[in-house]
Amino acid sequence: MLRGWRNRGRRQADQIGAFPPVPADLGAPELGPDTGLYVGSTIAPSWQDRVAVGDYGDRASASIARYDDGILIDRTGASPIWIPEDAIVAVRTERGLAGKVMTADGVLVIRWTLPTGTEIDSGLRADDKTIYPAWVSHRRARAERPTDTAHSDGSADENGRTQ
């Protein structure tokens, strides 16, 4: 089993690449920190194709916090995972992830894009599942924010500048 896990990590190495580093100054969290179990990351859209590169496939106790620039999953005994704001595709709840199956909406899942362009899902089973709606709605609200580069009609020029 260990040999298979290591071979999977070697096969995924180019596709996954390096995870983004945690910024030195995060400021105050907008949401959280909330505690739970990091259940793993999978290559999207599969809920079972676990990431085996480095220690990113290892389950660990963790806390999750939302900052202005992204989301930090701070894992106990393992590398922290920094998810930059511009890499976040969606925040949702699922029944399971990375081979871990729970009741409906048992896992908070963040779909995001790695620097290599590969989309992955990272999941946390929170100690208090009542936090999930706040995380999902917070993401929805951030996604609906108007951008500085939009025209009043919602368009921008080819360089992202307003006219």
Side-chain angles (χ1 to χ4, degrees):
M1 204 162 107
L2 181 59
R3 186 179 317 153
W5 185 255
R6 287 181 181 157
N7 285 338
R8 176 187 288 242
R10 281 191 283 277
R11 285 191 309 270
Q12 292 177 345
D14 290 338
Q15 183 180 14
I16 300 298
F19 276 59
V22 179
D25 183 26
L26 294 173
E30 295 177 356
L31 196 58
D34 296 304
T35 60
L37 175 72
Y38 168 77
V39 296
S41 291
T42 62
I43 298 174
S46 174
W47 71 279
Q48 290 184 321
D49 189 6
R50 284 182 71 171
V51 170
V53 174
D55 67 353
Y56 296 104
D58 297 349
R59 290 191 171 114
S61 293
S63 66
I64 184 170
R66 181 73 166 90
Y67 296 89
D68 189 45
D69 293 334
I71 297 172
L72 176 64
I73 302 174
D74 194 12
R75 302 182 302 152
T76 303
S79 303
I81 297 174
W82 173 250
I83 305 171
E85 173 61 30
D86 61 353
I88 300 171
V89 175
V91 176
R92 66 188 191 284
T93 58
E94 289 289 340
R95 181 181 187 102
L97 184 76
K100 185 86 167 162
V101 180
M102 272 88 42
T103 59
D105 300 324
V107 182
L108 181 67
V109 177
I110 302 156
R111 178 161 293 173
W112 59 293
T113 307
L114 292 167
T116 61
T118 301
E119 277 191 0
I120 66 171
D121 288 330
S122 296
L124 183 94
R125 186 187 76 206
D127 293 333
D128 177 7
K129 311 238 180 339
T130 62
I131 67 158
Y132 294 167
W135 278 87
V136 173
S137 64
H138 190 272
R139 173 60 194 158
R140 202 172 291 132
R142 283 189 69 105
E144 293 171 357
R145 279 186 191 173
T147 61
D148 293 337
T149 59
H151 294 292
S152 60
D153 66 357
S155 64
D157 69 15
E158 64 277 359
N159 296 317
R161 294 181 298 234
T162 57
Q163 296 179 356

